[in-house]
Amino acid sequence: MKRLSGYGLAGVFGALALALAACTPASDEAESEDAGGTGGAAGQETGGTGGGETGGAAGQETGGTGGGDTGGAAGVGGEAGAGGAAGTGGEAGAGGAAGTGGEAGTGGGAGTGGVGGGGPGTWEEAATPCPGSRTNAMWFDDRQNGFVGCGENADGYGLFSTTDGGETWDTNVKFEQARVMNLRRAPDGKLYGAGKDTLDNYSAWQIDEATATLKLIGLFEPGNNAFTKVDQGENIAVAEDGQMLVDSLTGNSAAYKPASGTFTELENLNEASIADPDNAPNFQVRRVVAFDNKFYATGSTISEPAQVFLPSKLAGATYHLQPLELQPSTRSGELIDIHIWSATKMIVVGWDNSTDYPLIYRVDGADPYLKASWTQIELLDSGIDYKGGIWAISVDGDTIVAAGEKIPTSEGGFVLRSTDGGLTWEDISPSDGGLPPGPLSKIWLFANGDVFAAGGGQEAWVLTH
């Protein structure tokens, strides 16, 4: 492996490190109560002997309402700590009254928890190795060890690994020729990927981790039939019993492997193809996952209502899916990602192309095969009113984080968090000197509440506690 020293956290502002040191939440879910722990920690360091105390928390905890907190009084024998930078939607905290003698406390760093404060932890600017318009694939085994895949644009190639939580990334030389669109640790403990190995023409592979140099073990090569060919894999779903399903990035086709057998390329995933393989309507999926030895998917195209695809109940079904339109027939949208808690509890996210707002649907305890069981979640009800869409979610229990981009793209990206299974949301987006992040395409929620979010142009952010 080659160490990419440029992909690290060396550029993090010193003030951000001070804000991180002051942020000590009572638990993974609890908000920090330390001085300066919310919305931009102002003057968090003691200014030497007799130095000033905390200069005041910048911005209110809830973004968008405005109004700064009052700066704290200075320590005895020191000047006031400098007022912290404002969290978005709130004014900067006022500096404390001056003491006598000594130097001033250090000024505060960036807003904590994102826009307007609003949550525990401190965002730090990081980097990913993906130079294209998106980071395409991400998988973390734990807080320190993870992988990123690049597959977008002319220079979007490679599989990269980290052993320090994303501070630095190593390039794996055996994957320099691979476009990596999806990564997943399967129930069998093996790491799988999908995309295109341009050297040996594989569309999906297992990643051999037995040695320090990761190796690509090809699972299948695309055939020559234009109607069934999976030239570039978009996702690979691996079931507990060994079934695998790979969908095509560029068309409606897919490749399926039974629990014991080899891959076969398919023209159609629709359950209607069981009875009429030649005339069954086709569809395009965007995400495929395995749950309880069955396959689920999301998708549609920009001109169709957003759809979720559920395991077929028909006799003889294996990989077959039953489409269910969630939007009204007069609308169009795309569902990009899905999380399944159980056979009756799921959440799907994406884009509403009719209104240009983020699209979220969830079902909890009802029959997911019935459209009436699904509830659309409006971010407007949580006070989040910008337009855009969600590219990815990551879930731990009932806590969800989502990454996406605003419309127009020049408005940047966002990070959202829900702690009630997606019913309500808060904006915890990072900021760079008051500016929003760029569009974000991948996100990971760690068990301790930390978050790693990545986009294009090597941009990434880490929320730590």
Side-chain angles (χ1 to χ4, degrees):
M1 292 186 295
K2 296 187 291 186
R3 174 56 58 89
L4 304 179
S5 58
Y7 302 134
L9 297 175
V12 177
F13 296 108
L16 279 172
L18 298 177
L20 173 61
C23 181
T24 55
S27 68
D28 284 348
E29 304 293 344
E31 292 192 9
S32 170
E33 296 182 356
D34 289 349
T38 307
Q44 288 184 303
E45 289 223 327
T46 304
T49 304
E53 291 180 28
T54 303
Q60 295 186 330
E61 290 189 1
T62 56
T65 56
D69 292 341
T70 304
V76 177
E79 295 178 5
T88 302
E91 300 175 359
T100 57
E103 295 181 353
T106 303
T112 302
V115 175
T122 300
W123 284 105
E124 297 176 348
E125 193 168 4
T128 70
C130 295
S133 56
R134 295 192 188 101
T135 295
N136 298 97
M138 182 186 295
W139 184 271
F140 277 92
D141 290 321
D142 52 45
R143 182 60 184 85
Q144 299 301 316
N145 299 289
F147 306 87
V148 155
C150 308
E152 199 96 356
N153 305 121
D155 50 0
Y157 290 85
L159 172 69
F160 304 86
S161 53
T162 181
T163 57
D164 54 18
E167 292 187 17
T168 58
W169 294 92
D170 294 319
T171 182
N172 295 285
V173 295
K174 295 292 186 179
F175 288 83
E176 290 180 342
Q177 78 292 345
R179 290 187 178 274
V180 183
M181 303 301 297
N182 182 235
L183 292 166
R184 186 165 300 277
R185 180 78 66 185
D188 61 9
K190 298 174 183 178
L191 185 64
Y192 292 89
K196 186 172 182 63
D197 171 24
T198 59
L199 182 63
D200 294 318
N201 206 31
Y202 293 114
S203 300
W205 50 81
Q206 177 198 328
I207 298 167
D208 184 357
E209 303 172 86
T211 63
T213 301
L214 302 183
K215 298 180 178 64
L216 185 153
I217 302 175
L219 296 179
F220 77 91
E221 298 179 51
N224 296 318
N225 187 323
F227 296 101
T228 63
K229 183 177 182 179
V230 181
D231 188 58
Q232 182 168 339
E234 184 174 27
N235 303 276
I236 180 168
V238 183
E240 292 182 6
D241 63 3
Q243 294 182 87
M244 298 184 189
L245 186 63
V246 179
D247 71 291
S248 173
L249 175 68
T250 57
N252 300 329
S253 58
Y256 170 70
K257 186 190 86 65
S260 57
T262 59
F263 274 95
T264 300
E265 290 181 307
L266 313 164
E267 183 178 354
N268 200 326
L269 292 173
N270 195 330
E271 65 176 3
S273 65
I274 297 175
D276 189 357
D278 295 327
N279 299 301
N282 213 334
F283 48 70
Q284 185 170 359
V285 300
R286 293 297 304 269
R287 178 77 68 225
V288 177
V289 298
F291 180 83
D292 196 22
N293 293 326
K294 297 179 176 66
F295 296 110
Y296 296 74
T298 58
S300 79
T301 63
I302 59 175
S303 61
E304 300 172 335
Q307 300 176 70
V308 62
F309 304 97
L310 304 170
S312 174
K313 297 179 181 180
L314 297 180
T318 51
Y319 57 82
H320 303 86
L321 301 173
Q322 176 181 327
L324 177 66
E325 292 184 355
L326 298 184
Q327 284 183 297
S329 60
T330 56
R331 298 196 179 193
S332 64
E334 293 181 275
L335 292 173
I336 306 296
D337 209 354
I338 178 173
H339 179 78
I340 304 171
W341 287 277
S342 73
T344 59
K345 184 178 180 180
M346 312 171 204
I347 187 168
V348 292
V349 300
W351 300 66
D352 186 336
N353 297 321
S354 297
T355 66
D356 288 338
Y357 284 103
L359 189 61
I360 303 173
Y361 281 92
R362 70 188 299 275
V363 60
D364 188 358
D367 183 356
Y369 290 82
L370 300 177
K371 182 176 181 178
S373 299
W374 292 82
T375 301
Q376 184 175 358
I377 304 299
E378 298 280 1
L379 291 178
L380 292 169
D381 294 337
S382 295
I384 300 169
D385 60 359
Y386 44 72
K387 294 186 175 184
I390 298 173
W391 284 115
I393 55 175
S394 182
V395 181
D396 182 37
D398 276 340
T399 299
I400 310 169
V401 290
E405 66 178 271
K406 298 177 182 177
I407 296 177
T409 304
S410 59
E411 295 292 322
F414 59 82
V415 176
L416 307 177
R417 178 173 56 202
S418 171
T419 57
D420 56 12
L423 288 171
T424 60
W425 296 81
E426 60 177 330
D427 189 324
I428 61 165
S429 302
S431 64
D432 183 6
L435 298 176
L440 299 173
S441 56
K442 287 296 174 183
I443 195 163
W444 196 271
L445 173 64
F446 298 99
N448 68 346
D450 290 357
V451 176
F452 192 97
Q458 300 177 343
E459 179 176 10
W461 295 84
V462 183
L463 177 65
T464 56
H465 294 77

